[in-house]
């Protein structure tokens, strides 16, 4: 039977020339491609009431959390930093509820960029709200713009054996589009990789079926088809 992977949507919060005030929920095609090419069925979960989390998780076999806005610092007990970017309480509340429900139902979760951060916060961890101003040891460009999204730019430092063994090459470069990052890793999570300046780039928890990376494998798919192995490895965990 085909495995069903729920992907919580993002949404347009501002009027814009393309949609006007016709606010839409959406998900980038590359996430969908990564899941579909791994032989699973992607199902987009529109942002909704947290009370729907149980029903949504009941309908899928696993959860994939995508990138997007900053996570609000209220969820880890801080006031907003001067460099905090846009937040979306509705999305935060919904995804945090989905994570906790998926863990309760023992269904695997794969977090990408913001998704990694949401998992960490859901479990009691904290974030740097703005790396350039809060992380003193920063020597790597963690937001590679204007370099194209499909072009990897920095290395990983592996912290031990993990589900990524044989999935991501030991000397591989990854891409990087974030200014928030994990500060305090939540209890029970295993650190799998950092950047060369020590920023957390991957963690996992086999007991709770949690897997997360800070980079954007879905963006790399366009020019680096070997990145598909990451999605394949997650689907194999279901």
């Amino acid at each position: 039977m085909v495995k069903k992977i729920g992907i919580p949507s993002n949404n347009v919060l501002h009027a814009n020339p393309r949609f006007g005030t016709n606010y839409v929920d959406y998900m980038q095609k590359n996430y969908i491609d990564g899941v579909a090419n791994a032989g699973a069925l992607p199902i987009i979960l529109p942002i909704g009431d947290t009370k729907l989390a149980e029903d949504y998780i009941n309908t899928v076999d696993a959860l994939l959390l995508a990138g997007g806005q900053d996570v609000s610092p209220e969820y880890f007990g801080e006031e907003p930093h001067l460099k905090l970017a846009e937040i979306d309480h509705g999305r935060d509340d919904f995804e945090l509820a989905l994570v906790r429900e998926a863990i309760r139902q023992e269904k695997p979760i794969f977090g990408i960029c913001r998704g990694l951060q949401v998992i960490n916060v859901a479990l009691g961890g904290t974030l740097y709200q703005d790396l350039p101003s809060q992380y003193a040891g920063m020597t790597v460009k963690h937001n590679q713009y204007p370099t194209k999204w499909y072009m990897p730019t920095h290395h990983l430092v592996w912290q031990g054996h993990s589900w990524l063994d044989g999935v991501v090459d030991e000397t591989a470069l990854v891409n990087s589009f974030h200014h928030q990052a994990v500060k305090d890793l939540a209890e029970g999570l295993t650190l799998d990789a950092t950047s060369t300046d020590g920023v957390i780039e991957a963690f996992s928890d086999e007991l709770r079926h949690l897997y997360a990376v800070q980079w954007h494998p879905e963006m790399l798919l366009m020019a680096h088809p070997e990145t598909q192995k990451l999605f394949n490895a997650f689907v194999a965990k279901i």
Side-chain angles (χ1 to χ4, degrees):
M1 183 177 293
V2 176
K3 300 298 183 181
K4 299 185 291 295
I5 298 183
I7 308 175
S9 69
N10 200 343
N11 56 186
V12 173
L13 293 173
H14 306 284
N16 62 77
R18 182 173 181 83
F19 295 108
T21 56
N22 183 24
Y23 302 111
V24 298
D25 274 28
Y26 69 93
M27 181 46 55
Q28 292 95 322
K29 185 175 182 295
N30 289 341
Y31 291 103
I32 295 168
D33 289 344
V35 168
N37 291 338
L41 183 67
I43 297 178
I44 308 303
L45 309 179
I47 297 172
D49 194 296
T50 57
K51 294 176 183 177
L52 300 172
E54 182 176 1
D55 288 334
Y56 273 129
I57 297 301
N58 280 337
T59 68
V60 299
D61 300 297
L63 191 64
L64 187 154
L65 300 172
Q69 300 92 339
D70 284 1
V71 178
S72 175
E74 70 182 271
Y75 300 101
F76 47 95
E78 294 184 6
E79 290 296 307
H81 185 272
L82 290 172
K83 298 290 186 179
L84 182 71
E86 182 177 51
I87 60 173
D88 180 351
H89 286 134
R91 187 179 183 192
D92 287 343
D93 287 338
F94 186 58
E95 290 189 345
L96 289 166
L98 289 173
V99 167
R100 292 167 180 145
E101 181 60 27
I103 291 173
R104 189 187 72 80
Q105 294 192 27
E106 300 184 347
K107 293 184 176 178
I109 307 173
F110 183 22
I112 294 175
C113 194
R114 169 191 156 91
L116 170 144
Q117 298 162 15
V118 169
I119 294 170
N120 188 59
V121 169
L123 297 176
T126 65
L127 304 177
Y128 292 106
Q129 294 186 50
D130 179 62
L131 275 175
S133 58
Q134 292 186 304
Y135 185 66
M138 183 173 162
T139 59
V140 169
K141 184 175 171 65
H142 288 279
N143 187 342
Q144 68 183 56
Y145 180 83
T147 299
K148 294 295 287 185
W149 55 86
Y150 53 76
M151 188 175 297
T153 59
H154 77 73
H155 286 97
L156 299 172
V157 178
W158 299 100
Q159 304 298 308
H161 293 294
S162 74
W163 75 292
L164 297 171
D165 292 353
V167 176
V168 179
D169 189 86
E170 288 186 4
T171 60
L173 292 166
V174 296
N175 55 0
S176 195
F177 293 91
H178 63 106
H179 84 116
Q180 290 198 319
V182 170
K183 180 165 60 177
D184 299 308
L185 194 63
E187 185 177 354
L189 296 176
T190 298
L191 177 61
D192 295 330
T194 68
S195 56
T196 54
D197 60 357
V199 173
I200 291 175
E201 289 283 339
F203 63 65
S204 60
D205 178 359
E206 291 287 355
L207 184 63
R208 290 178 288 185
H209 319 291
L210 305 176
Y211 311 94
V213 299
Q214 182 60 66
W215 67 93
H216 283 269
E218 84 290 350
M219 293 180 177
L220 293 174
L221 283 174
M222 180 180 292
H224 302 275
E226 68 275 11
T227 306
Q228 181 62 43
K229 292 194 293 185
L230 198 57
F231 292 93
N232 296 350
F234 175 63
V235 171
K237 293 284 189 181
I238 304 171

